[in-house]
Structures are given as structure tokens and as C-alpha cells.
Amino acid sequence: MDIKQISVFLENNAGRLAKVTRTMADAGINIRAISIADTADFGILRVIVDRPEVAMKALVDDGFTARMTDVLAVEIPDVPGALAQVMELFQQTEVNIEYLYASLKGNRDKAVVIFKVQDIEHGRRIVHEKGLEVLDKF
Amino acid sequence: MIFNPEYEAMEPKARETLQFARLKNLVDRLYHSLPFTRERMDGAGIRPRDIRSLADLAHLPFTTKDDLRETFPYGLLCCPQAEIEEVHMSSGTTGIPVVDAYTRRDVENWEEAMARTLAGAGATSNDTVQNCYGYGLFTGGMGVHYGAKRLGANIIPMSSGNTRKQLMVMRNFGTTILTSTPSYALFMAEEAIEAGYDPRAMGLRAGCFGAEPWSENMRLEIEAKWGIDAFDIYGLTEITGPGVAFECEAKDGLHINEDLFYPEVIDPETGAVLPDGEKGELVFTTLVKEGTPLVRYRTRDITFLRRERCSCGRTTVRMNRLFGRTDDMLIIRGVNIFPSQIEHALIEIEGTDPHYLIVVDRGATYLDEVELQVEVKKEFFSDETRTLETLRARIEGVMKSTLGVTMKVKLVEPKTIERSVGKSKRVLDKRTL
């Protein structure tokens, strides 16, 4: 029920983002969700893709520093208050969040929120118990 | 003003006689009291009696920084330990410091050498010297202090840093001579302007600047900003600290106190002594030192010597402003740093490879700014910024505590720092000196 996220270390150099997206494009990878965490000196690109293993291999072969991490992808209705509900639930059940980002999901009125939580076992159990819609691919 | 005309304006022939007598005495003393020298000389097949002229000095083996490290702390001490009156140190390539131990007479000679240095900048007993060199194991602070005392000047022992206080003292105590690193002198001028003062109206008339490389352009800038005459001074811990050589009012080369420190310039590859005017590695023999005398110490500094008469009246040999070094030592804000020290420190830190690049620049503040680029280990890469920021802060902390210099650390992607065969390119020095 987890989903594989790929993160890539990027120096703040011109052209690095173009290069990393080109590498994935040439491998025929479709990016479903994307976010960048940046500091003054470097950035960390985080993506959810359709074929993580293929993407990972392409990135490493091209010299990128990348790793795969388990994250939770929770599907919520695309309406006001939906995210607040999930956050309140996480707060009550002490699911600590390291970071999150979101993706709209095409034609249905749904959104997908990607959560990196401190304790993935605990997070997994909570979303299962509370009956949240969790995706293992999208 | 010439502080000691008897020695500084001596007829060159008479000086050579004096130098030879002192050299002979030194070699005899070292050979008979220091196993290190005796082994070296025996190994080279030289006896003290083979030294029959100043030129014979060229037959004696060199002393290197490695020799000093291997004999740390007192392996080259040439006097009874009880006679040591003061000790100074500077950092070595692997953290083993270089020691200079002074007897009473060594301190007196240091005072003399520094009094000559300050007098070269026009200082007299009527001056107030504000000394911004660090007091402590570093020789700069105490060296200037002793010289100013010998001169009979008023000495304000500020040490380095705390710029606002420096300026407050300067305004209230009528400082006329400033001693600091050249970059700090420029930094102070900027701070003065920012605080609303005109540096040119603060009463300074001269400054003695050293302990780091600087250029003629930087001299002009300091002189214009402060409205003073700026003089270059040279020295190194191993030989005595500051006071080895200094500029006079002609500002045309640095007069070497050669009755105390005998200079040669050699070809760094072959070790052959080069004629005057030819660029090579500067080598010193401390003619009168008692505590830690050195024969033919290789400074790694590159310069050439000139013997034509100077308009100031001093007859001492002059060395040109330094051209650079024969090793990869960097001088950052007056602190000596070897890239190998950074490498050693990095190996201790989990998560980094010892692949790095040091980028040195002199920014808008005029102070040296150092960026240390370090490759992150693949295995240590994390999807969380916090982990990487913690690593970065850790490296900055380790560098500060082991090298004594603040560096800005930048994490870079693995395998992005250029690998080269043989001596790798670890330093990118963008300072325009």
C-alpha cells in the first residue's frame, strides 16, 4: 500500500532541472507528482512516477544521486476542508509529517496528497484503520 | 628614521665579516650540542671547520618544516630548557605545530628587529601604536608589542577583532600607527565610514601590514582610504615572527635584518643558490638565535634579493614582495592553512568523501571569504533537507574548530569535483592581490 518516491540531489546550477527531467523523459517515464525542497545551496527533487525502478536506473546511470523512499499517497476529495480533516486525524493519532505535497488526479474530483511521515509503520496502520483511500500506484 | 644605523647602515664588507663570525659560531654550537645537526652534517660529510666563508654555507643541509614537525616540541632546542623565556607556535600541515622558543637574548633581538621595522614606517617614541595583530601563540601580537616598547612608543594592545571598539580606541587615544593584516585595515576603514566617521580624519599616519599576501593595488587602496602610508612587513614563526624584513619610506622592497637572519634564494628543485635578482625559494639561517636556531630553513616563499643601495640609507639586502609559495599553503585572514588539514578533517566526518574544493575570494568586505565545496556520499544522501543541513553545519563546525577559520560549506553532487592525476586541484584562489 506504500508508494515509491524518488528523490534526487541537485546542486543549484543552471540546467540541472532540465537535465534530470530529460533523463526521465528519455526513459519514457511519466511523472505523476513532483516537488522541490530547496535551500540556499542545493535542492532535493521529489517525484512519484509510473515506473519507479526504471526511473531510478535511468537516473543513476546518468550520474544523479538518487534514492527511493516509501511514502503514503492518500486520495482525498477535491473539496474545501478535505485536507484539514486528514491533518487533524494525523494530529490526533500522532502521525508526524516530515513533508508533504499534492497532485490533482486528472478527470475525477480527487486529489492525491503524498506524505512522508516519521514512522511509516505507524502511519500505514492509522490510514488503514481509519479507512482512508491509499494508493499503491497512480 | 633608521633605528640602529650601526647595523642597518653598516658597510656591506664589514657586515659580511660580522655575518661570517656569527655563522661560524652558530655552526660550532649546533654541531656540538644538537644531535640533529651533527647527524645531518656528518651525513653530508661536512665538519664545522669546512665553513671558511659565507659562501660555504651552501654546503650545509637544509632544514624543512617536516624536520620541525618530526622533532616537536623540543628536538631542535639548543639551550637548557630553563633558559626559555617564551614560546610561540604556528599551525603545521597535520596539526603538529611549529615551535619557536626564545631565550632572553632571543626576545631582545626580536624587540630590536621589530623596533627597526616600526622605525622603517617612520614610528618614533612619540607615536601611539594600535596593535591589531592577535596576542597569544601567534607571533604577530607580541612581536609588534616588543618592538613598540623598545622604540619607547605608546602601545595599545588591542589584539584582533571587535572593530567598533578598535575605532572607539583609535578616536580617543590618538592612534598614529596601525598594525594589522592588510585586509583588516580595509575592513576597519569600511566600518568607520559606516559608523559615520571619516577614516582620513582620525589621525593615523602610517600602518605596518603583514601576515598575509597583499598587492600594490591593495596598498594604494589602504593609503587612500585611511590617508596614510602603508608598509609591508614580513616574518615567520620559525625564524622569529614579524621583524625578519620590512619596508622603509622608499616602499621599494623589504629590508632584511640580515645581521640577524641571513637570507639565500635557492632553486626549489635543485637546491642550488641563485644569484641576486633571480626568483626562487627564500631560505634563512638565524645567525644569533639561542633557543631554536635554524640553518638554511626553507620558507617555501618565493621572491628574489636585491643589493643595490636604497635611498633611505640602509645598506641591508632587500627582498621583493612575495610572488607566492612553492607549496599549497593558503593564508586566510592571516591563518596558515594547508589543504591536507581539510582533507584530514573531512575523513573524520561520516557522510562526506574527501573530495573538496576550496574557493577563496575577497568579497565586498575586503576580508577573505572561503567556500568549501564538499561532495556528499551517495549513501548519505537523504530525501530530507534537514539531514543534509545538519551535515553541512557539522562540517562548518569541525572546520572552525580544527583550522580556526570560518568557512561556508557547500554540499555538491558526488563526482562533480574535478579529479586529476597527481597533484589534484584543491584550491581556487580568486583573490586579486
Side-chain angles (χ1 to χ4, degrees), chain B residues 112-316:
Chain B
E112 161 86 21
M114 275 310 295
R116 293 181 193 176
T117 299
L118 293 168
T124 69
S125 60
N126 295 326
D127 276 299
T128 297
V129 178
Q130 183 160 338
N131 185 15
C132 314
Y133 288 114
Y135 280 69
L137 286 174
F138 174 56
T139 51
M142 295 307 289
V144 169
H145 192 92
Y146 288 143
K149 283 192 80 155
R150 172 68 72 87
L151 205 55
N154 176 11
I155 171 86
I156 309 180
M158 290 301 294
S159 206
S160 49
N162 204 342
T163 309
R164 289 296 157 106
K165 193 171 181 179
Q166 299 272 11
L167 293 169
M168 183 276 285
V169 167
M170 192 179 285
R171 287 189 300 127
N172 286 285
F173 291 84
T175 303
T176 51
I177 309 275
L178 181 68
T179 58
S180 73
T181 58
S183 55
Y184 191 61
L186 278 176
F187 181 70
M188 273 175 90
E190 289 300 307
E191 288 283 295
I193 292 164
E194 200 164 290
Y197 306 120
D198 176 6
R200 302 179 64 92
M202 290 177 81
L204 273 194
R205 62 185 188 86
C208 292
F209 306 110
E212 68 182 17
W214 56 310
S215 62
E216 197 55 35
N217 280 340
M218 213 165 151
R219 185 210 305 270
L220 295 176
E221 205 172 340
I222 292 173
E223 293 189 332
K225 285 226 158 75
W226 282 105
I228 62 172
D229 281 311
F231 299 90
D232 193 7
I233 65 174
Y234 172 81
L236 60 164
T237 305
E238 298 92 313
I239 299 306
T240 202
V244 175
F246 62 89
E247 280 183 332
C248 63
E249 66 265 25
K251 295 179 195 164
D252 184 21
L254 290 84
H255 287 278
I256 297 174
N257 281 317
E258 59 170 317
D259 52 317
L260 307 173
F261 318 109
Y262 187 82
E264 296 166 280
V265 167
I266 62 159
D267 178 331
E269 302 294 325
T270 65
V273 177
L274 297 174
D276 290 343
E278 265 186 51
K279 228 192 262 185
E281 182 178 341
L282 185 61
V283 169
F284 278 110
T285 299
T286 62
L287 293 176
V288 293
K289 233 165 141 189
E290 295 180 335
T292 44
L294 295 175
V295 172
R296 307 195 83 202
Y297 180 71
R298 296 184 62 157
T299 64
R300 298 283 176 191
D301 288 321
I302 298 168
T303 185
F304 63 81
L305 299 177
R306 304 160 51 189
R307 280 177 219 275
E308 73 268 19
R309 290 289 169 96
C310 180
S311 57
C312 74
R314 289 175 185 82
T315 55
T316 43

